[in-house]
Amino acid sequence: MTTERIQRWTKTRLREHLSVIRGERPPTLVLKHATYLNFARRKWLEANIWIADDQIVYVGQEMPETLGDAEVVDCTGQFIVPGYIEHHAHPFQLYNPLSLAQYASERGTTTLINDNLVYFLNLEKKKALSLIEKLDELPTTMYWWTRYDSQSELLKDDMFSNSKIKAWLEHHLVVQGGELTSWPQVLQGDDTILHWMQETSRLRKPIEGHLPGASEKTLSQMALLGVTCDHEAITGEEVVRRLDVGYTVSLRHSSIRPDLPRLFEELKELDVDYFGRCLMTTDGSPPSFYEEGIMNKCIQIAIDAGINPIDAYGMATYYVARYYNIDHKLGMIGPGRIAHLNFLAAKDAPTPVSVLAKGQWILRDGEAVTKEARFPWSDYGIAPIEFNWTLSENELHFSMPMGIEMTNAVILKPYQTMLETASTELSTDHDESFFAMIDKKGKWLVTTTLKGFSTSVMGLASSYSYTGDVILIGKSLKAMVQAFNELKKQGGGLILVEEDQVIDRIELPLLGMMSDKPMDVIMKQEQSFTKKLRERGYKHEDPMYSLQFFSSTHLPYIRVTQKGIYDVRKKRILFPAIMR
């Protein structure tokens, strides 16, 4: 089968499936006495469901005339819903698209709509697009978005070329533009991004906004320019403001914004009783946040909040597919759809007991069926980072009077430092540390002090950032350099050094961002690393987000970028990077 099967099956394959309905050949699987959720009628109905290969071919009262060696499953006592859709995945939060998809599908989330930023920044166009086609051969369905900007200040601005964005936008596996973190530039006259937004709309693909705290006027202006959805509402009132303007609203439940229970409570108080334009997302949380699952967890929160179960399932299935104009393929149980099905023990129990993805059993009576798949990452230019340069303590100078202060996991503000920065080791009786960001090719560095990260992390090295540039944090220059040397040996990841010993590490051999291990392994590694950081004074919501977002200019107030320390509001470099 071609990689275009998500858009359309081949004519030959469609005729084979037609012949199943006509009784000329057997289906591969028949689900009889199935109580299933029908979104066309918003009811639980009973039917027999026939599946041929990866497609649902019949839903109705009849049994096939020709059964042959078809598997027949009696579904009495079970309730079947469409496979869940996570429409706002960032599939490189220590895990990779493959490990996330495998883990998610075993818990009922059989479709991921993924951010392309890491591939956009790190791979050439042809390799990246052939990679997403290769990933489409998995039992899970993977769609993608295309970014319009890097959400940082890059030395090479040509990464976001017209031809590159056009190739992504027109690809059949890319279903939206965004998320639009650069909306202030668009409002201030950036016609390049506005052109790409217009192209996205011309292709009948929606545009995902990123509009925290937006007023009615801002929301109206962005709607005028083509934005159709936003996931940044943090109160019921902000959800209603977006609905009133005509947006689809994605309700978020992530590690740094676990808002869903409170949002539902506030929406009920505001008399919101129609959820057909609401979706749900976990917004690319780190592995340990997914211990209880992905969309199944969001659906459970909705049901527990008193939302009608049909709406709770709809916000992770049919409403999502309808919004993305793919409900003819996903989000419903009906002929012509991909055979993504979740088998539940009860209507209000969204964690499935069995899962079908593209007609294959992923989970059967609580037992995982598939083995961990191998994937040829290196064929697509995804490999460990090679650091072909050395670093010494005497290169790390910290003489500037201004440092950066963490007010939470991701917000950075300037502060006046009183530290005696000529020293090579700082006291552990305060929360100021040395901070350096260094080009992964060793060409430039930015040094400053960081307040609010920890009291006693001696040396931390990380390549875990969108661009793969190296972050060093610590109280001791010696420990920071040692951590870098260990990072160099393992080709990227996270290293924690104390008293000349590596006390924890996470290997991230895929571009320095992603592990090649299964999700349960990555989860334990992340929990161990986070625990050690907390024991050394890290007090915010999520250290993985902190490390990833130091350079992200869609967040206030100052960031550390490839060009230097950057003032987000004034759009200017405060202290330039130093060439090495």
mmCIF file of all heavy atoms in Angstrom, residues 147-150 160 162 165 169 180-187 189-200 207 222 225:
data_model
loop_
_atom_site.group_PDB
_atom_site.id
_atom_site.type_symbol
_atom_site.label_atom_id
_atom_site.label_comp_id
_atom_site.label_asym_id
_atom_site.label_seq_id
_atom_site.Cartn_x
_atom_site.Cartn_y
_atom_site.Cartn_z
ATOM 1 N N ARG A 147 5.203 24.615 10.808
ATOM 2 C CA ARG A 147 5.464 25.902 11.463
ATOM 3 C C ARG A 147 5.754 26.971 10.412
ATOM 4 O O ARG A 147 6.238 26.685 9.325
ATOM 5 C CB ARG A 147 6.684 25.769 12.369
ATOM 6 C CG ARG A 147 6.507 24.810 13.513
ATOM 7 C CD ARG A 147 5.826 25.476 14.688
ATOM 8 N NE ARG A 147 5.974 24.671 15.889
ATOM 9 C CZ ARG A 147 5.985 25.162 17.131
ATOM 10 N NH1 ARG A 147 5.863 26.456 17.329
ATOM 11 N NH2 ARG A 147 6.099 24.366 18.168
ATOM 12 N N TYR A 148 5.530 28.224 10.820
ATOM 13 C CA TYR A 148 5.883 29.364 9.972
ATOM 14 C C TYR A 148 7.126 30.087 10.503
ATOM 15 O O TYR A 148 7.670 30.958 9.846
ATOM 16 C CB TYR A 148 4.741 30.377 9.945
ATOM 17 C CG TYR A 148 3.395 29.850 9.534
ATOM 18 C CD1 TYR A 148 2.284 30.034 10.363
ATOM 19 C CD2 TYR A 148 3.203 29.200 8.315
ATOM 20 C CE1 TYR A 148 1.026 29.584 9.991
ATOM 21 C CE2 TYR A 148 1.951 28.741 7.939
ATOM 22 C CZ TYR A 148 0.859 28.937 8.780
ATOM 23 O OH TYR A 148 -0.374 28.481 8.414
ATOM 24 N N ASP A 149 7.516 29.767 11.756
ATOM 25 C CA ASP A 149 8.666 30.455 12.347
ATOM 26 C C ASP A 149 9.335 29.526 13.346
ATOM 27 O O ASP A 149 8.771 28.504 13.738
ATOM 28 C CB ASP A 149 8.227 31.751 13.029
ATOM 29 C CG ASP A 149 7.520 31.477 14.342
ATOM 30 O OD1 ASP A 149 6.374 30.987 14.322
ATOM 31 O OD2 ASP A 149 8.116 31.719 15.398
ATOM 32 N N SER A 150 10.536 29.907 13.791
ATOM 33 C CA SER A 150 11.355 29.021 14.627
ATOM 34 C C SER A 150 11.082 29.178 16.112
ATOM 35 O O SER A 150 11.633 28.448 16.915
ATOM 36 C CB SER A 150 12.830 29.337 14.389
ATOM 37 O OG SER A 150 13.114 30.652 14.851
ATOM 38 N N PHE A 160 13.563 28.963 7.079
ATOM 39 C CA PHE A 160 12.135 29.067 6.774
ATOM 40 C C PHE A 160 11.951 29.667 5.389
ATOM 41 O O PHE A 160 11.383 30.732 5.217
ATOM 42 C CB PHE A 160 11.417 29.872 7.866
ATOM 43 C CG PHE A 160 11.227 29.066 9.118
ATOM 44 C CD1 PHE A 160 12.268 28.869 9.996
ATOM 45 C CD2 PHE A 160 10.023 28.439 9.389
ATOM 46 C CE1 PHE A 160 12.126 28.080 11.130
ATOM 47 C CE2 PHE A 160 9.855 27.647 10.515
ATOM 48 C CZ PHE A 160 10.909 27.469 11.386
ATOM 49 N N ASN A 162 10.647 29.884 1.427
ATOM 50 C CA ASN A 162 9.331 29.747 0.796
ATOM 51 C C ASN A 162 9.135 28.336 0.259
ATOM 52 O O ASN A 162 8.086 27.724 0.460
ATOM 53 C CB ASN A 162 9.208 30.783 -0.329
ATOM 54 C CG ASN A 162 7.752 31.095 -0.630
ATOM 55 O OD1 ASN A 162 6.940 31.214 0.280
ATOM 56 N ND2 ASN A 162 7.440 31.215 -1.903
ATOM 57 N N ILE A 165 8.567 25.704 3.188
ATOM 58 C CA ILE A 165 7.234 25.767 3.802
ATOM 59 C C ILE A 165 6.175 25.306 2.807
ATOM 60 O O ILE A 165 5.244 24.575 3.167
ATOM 61 C CB ILE A 165 6.939 27.186 4.336
ATOM 62 C CG1 ILE A 165 7.839 27.447 5.548
ATOM 63 C CG2 ILE A 165 5.469 27.338 4.712
ATOM 64 C CD1 ILE A 165 7.572 28.700 6.311
ATOM 65 N N LEU A 169 3.490 22.430 3.469
ATOM 66 C CA LEU A 169 2.063 22.779 3.455
ATOM 67 C C LEU A 169 1.271 21.930 2.475
ATOM 68 O O LEU A 169 0.131 21.547 2.747
ATOM 69 C CB LEU A 169 1.884 24.246 3.050
ATOM 70 C CG LEU A 169 1.803 25.300 4.146
ATOM 71 C CD1 LEU A 169 1.545 26.659 3.527
ATOM 72 C CD2 LEU A 169 0.721 24.973 5.172
ATOM 73 N N LEU A 180 0.901 29.224 15.615
ATOM 74 C CA LEU A 180 1.354 30.541 15.181
ATOM 75 C C LEU A 180 1.871 31.346 16.367
ATOM 76 O O LEU A 180 1.165 32.160 16.951
ATOM 77 C CB LEU A 180 0.204 31.270 14.483
ATOM 78 C CG LEU A 180 0.528 32.641 13.900
ATOM 79 C CD1 LEU A 180 1.608 32.536 12.838
ATOM 80 C CD2 LEU A 180 -0.722 33.274 13.311
ATOM 81 N N THR A 181 3.136 31.121 16.724
ATOM 82 C CA THR A 181 3.724 31.857 17.848
ATOM 83 C C THR A 181 4.162 33.260 17.426
ATOM 84 O O THR A 181 4.356 34.122 18.275
ATOM 85 C CB THR A 181 4.942 31.095 18.412
ATOM 86 O OG1 THR A 181 5.848 30.826 17.356
ATOM 87 C CG2 THR A 181 4.503 29.785 19.053
ATOM 88 N N SER A 182 4.294 33.483 16.126
ATOM 89 C CA SER A 182 4.798 34.775 15.640
ATOM 90 C C SER A 182 3.667 35.732 15.261
ATOM 91 O O SER A 182 3.857 36.635 14.457
ATOM 92 C CB SER A 182 5.695 34.545 14.422
ATOM 93 O OG SER A 182 4.981 33.810 13.447
ATOM 94 N N TRP A 183 2.487 35.560 15.870
ATOM 95 C CA TRP A 183 1.355 36.429 15.500
ATOM 96 C C TRP A 183 1.616 37.921 15.725
ATOM 97 O O TRP A 183 1.108 38.745 14.944
ATOM 98 C CB TRP A 183 0.076 35.972 16.199
ATOM 99 C CG TRP A 183 0.148 35.962 17.697
ATOM 100 C CD1 TRP A 183 0.557 34.942 18.496
ATOM 101 C CD2 TRP A 183 -0.193 37.036 18.573
ATOM 102 N NE1 TRP A 183 0.509 35.302 19.809
ATOM 103 C CE2 TRP A 183 0.044 36.587 19.897
ATOM 104 C CE3 TRP A 183 -0.685 38.327 18.372
ATOM 105 C CZ2 TRP A 183 -0.180 37.390 21.010
ATOM 106 C CZ3 TRP A 183 -0.907 39.129 19.488
ATOM 107 C CH2 TRP A 183 -0.666 38.670 20.789
ATOM 108 N N PRO A 184 2.411 38.337 16.755
ATOM 109 C CA PRO A 184 2.652 39.789 16.864
ATOM 110 C C PRO A 184 3.329 40.357 15.618
ATOM 111 O O PRO A 184 2.997 41.454 15.166
ATOM 112 C CB PRO A 184 3.562 39.906 18.102
ATOM 113 C CG PRO A 184 3.268 38.692 18.913
ATOM 114 C CD PRO A 184 3.027 37.612 17.898
ATOM 115 N N GLN A 185 4.286 39.595 15.038
ATOM 116 C CA GLN A 185 4.946 40.064 13.811
ATOM 117 C C GLN A 185 3.950 40.214 12.673
ATOM 118 O O GLN A 185 4.031 41.142 11.873
ATOM 119 C CB GLN A 185 6.062 39.101 13.377
ATOM 120 C CG GLN A 185 7.274 39.093 14.303
ATOM 121 C CD GLN A 185 7.212 37.979 15.331
ATOM 122 O OE1 GLN A 185 6.322 37.977 16.190
ATOM 123 N NE2 GLN A 185 8.146 37.042 15.272
ATOM 124 N N VAL A 186 3.002 39.276 12.595
ATOM 125 C CA VAL A 186 2.000 39.337 11.517
ATOM 126 C C VAL A 186 1.164 40.602 11.680
ATOM 127 O O VAL A 186 0.921 41.337 10.715
ATOM 128 C CB VAL A 186 1.097 38.086 11.520
ATOM 129 C CG1 VAL A 186 0.116 38.140 10.361
ATOM 130 C CG2 VAL A 186 1.933 36.816 11.429
ATOM 131 N N LEU A 187 0.733 40.880 12.906
ATOM 132 C CA LEU A 187 -0.073 42.085 13.146
ATOM 133 C C LEU A 187 0.731 43.354 12.865
ATOM 134 O O LEU A 187 0.169 44.376 12.484
ATOM 135 C CB LEU A 187 -0.588 42.105 14.587
ATOM 136 C CG LEU A 187 -1.695 41.095 14.931
ATOM 137 C CD1 LEU A 187 -2.167 41.282 16.362
ATOM 138 C CD2 LEU A 187 -2.889 41.227 13.975
ATOM 139 N N GLY A 189 2.871 43.701 10.486
ATOM 140 C CA GLY A 189 3.162 43.893 9.072
ATOM 141 C C GLY A 189 4.002 42.838 8.391
ATOM 142 O O GLY A 189 4.445 43.043 7.263
ATOM 143 N N ASP A 190 4.255 41.687 9.037
ATOM 144 C CA ASP A 190 5.052 40.632 8.403
ATOM 145 C C ASP A 190 4.221 39.935 7.325
ATOM 146 O O ASP A 190 3.418 39.051 7.600
ATOM 147 C CB ASP A 190 5.514 39.616 9.456
ATOM 148 C CG ASP A 190 6.507 38.599 8.886
ATOM 149 O OD1 ASP A 190 6.340 38.200 7.710
ATOM 150 O OD2 ASP A 190 7.430 38.200 9.602
ATOM 151 N N ASP A 191 4.432 40.351 6.067
ATOM 152 C CA ASP A 191 3.636 39.806 4.964
ATOM 153 C C ASP A 191 4.085 38.424 4.531
ATOM 154 O O ASP A 191 3.340 37.707 3.862
ATOM 155 C CB ASP A 191 3.666 40.762 3.764
ATOM 156 C CG ASP A 191 2.586 41.818 3.857
ATOM 157 O OD1 ASP A 191 1.744 41.717 4.783
ATOM 158 O OD2 ASP A 191 2.587 42.760 3.039
ATOM 159 N N THR A 192 5.314 38.034 4.881
ATOM 160 C CA THR A 192 5.788 36.695 4.507
ATOM 161 C C THR A 192 4.962 35.634 5.226
ATOM 162 O O THR A 192 4.438 34.701 4.609
ATOM 163 C CB THR A 192 7.285 36.531 4.858
ATOM 164 O OG1 THR A 192 8.002 37.584 4.244
ATOM 165 C CG2 THR A 192 7.805 35.205 4.364
ATOM 166 N N ILE A 193 4.838 35.791 6.552
ATOM 167 C CA ILE A 193 4.045 34.815 7.315
ATOM 168 C C ILE A 193 2.578 34.914 6.904
ATOM 169 O O ILE A 193 1.901 33.889 6.765
ATOM 170 C CB ILE A 193 4.238 35.013 8.834
ATOM 171 C CG1 ILE A 193 5.676 34.632 9.211
ATOM 172 C CG2 ILE A 193 3.246 34.153 9.628
ATOM 173 C CD1 ILE A 193 6.048 34.875 10.649
ATOM 174 N N LEU A 194 2.094 36.125 6.669
ATOM 175 C CA LEU A 194 0.692 36.273 6.231
ATOM 176 C C LEU A 194 0.466 35.549 4.901
ATOM 177 O O LEU A 194 -0.574 34.910 4.695
ATOM 178 C CB LEU A 194 0.325 37.750 6.106
ATOM 179 C CG LEU A 194 -1.128 38.043 5.685
ATOM 180 C CD1 LEU A 194 -2.132 37.361 6.613
ATOM 181 C CD2 LEU A 194 -1.382 39.548 5.636
ATOM 182 N N HIS A 195 1.453 35.586 4.016
ATOM 183 C CA HIS A 195 1.340 34.857 2.742
ATOM 184 C C HIS A 195 1.196 33.352 3.006
ATOM 185 O O HIS A 195 0.342 32.693 2.407
ATOM 186 C CB HIS A 195 2.577 35.121 1.879
ATOM 187 C CG HIS A 195 2.692 34.203 0.702
ATOM 188 N ND1 HIS A 195 1.883 34.322 -0.424
ATOM 189 C CD2 HIS A 195 3.484 33.118 0.486
ATOM 190 C CE1 HIS A 195 2.191 33.349 -1.277
ATOM 191 N NE2 HIS A 195 3.159 32.616 -0.760
ATOM 192 N N TRP A 196 2.015 32.817 3.917
ATOM 193 C CA TRP A 196 1.924 31.382 4.207
ATOM 194 C C TRP A 196 0.589 31.039 4.861
ATOM 195 O O TRP A 196 0.029 29.976 4.609
ATOM 196 C CB TRP A 196 3.094 30.952 5.096
ATOM 197 C CG TRP A 196 4.420 31.018 4.392
ATOM 198 C CD1 TRP A 196 4.655 30.811 3.058
ATOM 199 C CD2 TRP A 196 5.684 31.326 4.962
ATOM 200 N NE1 TRP A 196 5.983 30.966 2.769
ATOM 201 C CE2 TRP A 196 6.646 31.282 3.920
ATOM 202 C CE3 TRP A 196 6.114 31.636 6.254
ATOM 203 C CZ2 TRP A 196 7.999 31.532 4.132
ATOM 204 C CZ3 TRP A 196 7.474 31.875 6.465
ATOM 205 C CH2 TRP A 196 8.399 31.836 5.419
ATOM 206 N N MET A 197 0.086 31.942 5.684
ATOM 207 C CA MET A 197 -1.244 31.735 6.283
ATOM 208 C C MET A 197 -2.318 31.696 5.197
ATOM 209 O O MET A 197 -3.215 30.842 5.214
ATOM 210 C CB MET A 197 -1.549 32.834 7.302
ATOM 211 C CG MET A 197 -0.682 32.775 8.553
ATOM 212 S SD MET A 197 -0.849 34.244 9.597
ATOM 213 C CE MET A 197 -2.535 34.005 10.216
ATOM 214 N N GLN A 198 -2.201 32.605 4.237
ATOM 215 C CA GLN A 198 -3.173 32.617 3.127
ATOM 216 C C GLN A 198 -3.089 31.334 2.305
ATOM 217 O O GLN A 198 -4.113 30.790 1.882
ATOM 218 C CB GLN A 198 -2.935 33.838 2.234
ATOM 219 C CG GLN A 198 -3.361 35.137 2.873
ATOM 220 C CD GLN A 198 -3.131 36.314 1.928
ATOM 221 O OE1 GLN A 198 -2.032 36.485 1.375
ATOM 222 N NE2 GLN A 198 -4.145 37.110 1.726
ATOM 223 N N GLU A 199 -1.858 30.860 2.088
ATOM 224 C CA GLU A 199 -1.683 29.601 1.355
ATOM 225 C C GLU A 199 -2.323 28.433 2.116
ATOM 226 O O GLU A 199 -2.941 27.558 1.522
ATOM 227 C CB GLU A 199 -0.188 29.318 1.132
ATOM 228 C CG GLU A 199 0.414 30.069 -0.024
ATOM 229 C CD GLU A 199 -0.237 29.686 -1.347
ATOM 230 O OE1 GLU A 199 0.001 28.580 -1.842
ATOM 231 O OE2 GLU A 199 -1.018 30.507 -1.875
ATOM 232 N N THR A 200 -2.148 28.427 3.445
ATOM 233 C CA THR A 200 -2.744 27.377 4.274
ATOM 234 C C THR A 200 -4.259 27.385 4.112
ATOM 235 O O THR A 200 -4.887 26.336 3.909
ATOM 236 C CB THR A 200 -2.377 27.592 5.759
ATOM 237 O OG1 THR A 200 -0.960 27.750 5.864
ATOM 238 C CG2 THR A 200 -2.809 26.412 6.610
ATOM 239 N N ILE A 207 -5.597 26.837 10.738
ATOM 240 C CA ILE A 207 -4.406 27.453 11.325
ATOM 241 C C ILE A 207 -4.581 27.488 12.838
ATOM 242 O O ILE A 207 -5.553 28.048 13.353
ATOM 243 C CB ILE A 207 -4.184 28.885 10.788
ATOM 244 C CG1 ILE A 207 -3.925 28.852 9.269
ATOM 245 C CG2 ILE A 207 -3.018 29.560 11.524
ATOM 246 C CD1 ILE A 207 -3.886 30.215 8.606
ATOM 247 N N MET A 222 -6.875 38.178 14.492
ATOM 248 C CA MET A 222 -6.250 36.938 14.051
ATOM 249 C C MET A 222 -7.242 36.066 13.279
ATOM 250 O O MET A 222 -6.859 35.370 12.339
ATOM 251 C CB MET A 222 -5.659 36.176 15.234
ATOM 252 C CG MET A 222 -4.507 36.898 15.944
ATOM 253 S SD MET A 222 -3.287 37.675 14.844
ATOM 254 C CE MET A 222 -2.661 36.259 13.949
ATOM 255 N N LEU A 225 -7.263 37.129 9.808
ATOM 256 C CA LEU A 225 -6.084 36.693 9.063
ATOM 257 C C LEU A 225 -6.026 35.180 8.872
ATOM 258 O O LEU A 225 -5.083 34.664 8.301
ATOM 259 C CB LEU A 225 -4.814 37.173 9.771
ATOM 260 C CG LEU A 225 -4.679 38.698 9.942
ATOM 261 C CD1 LEU A 225 -3.383 39.051 10.649
ATOM 262 C CD2 LEU A 225 -4.755 39.418 8.600
#
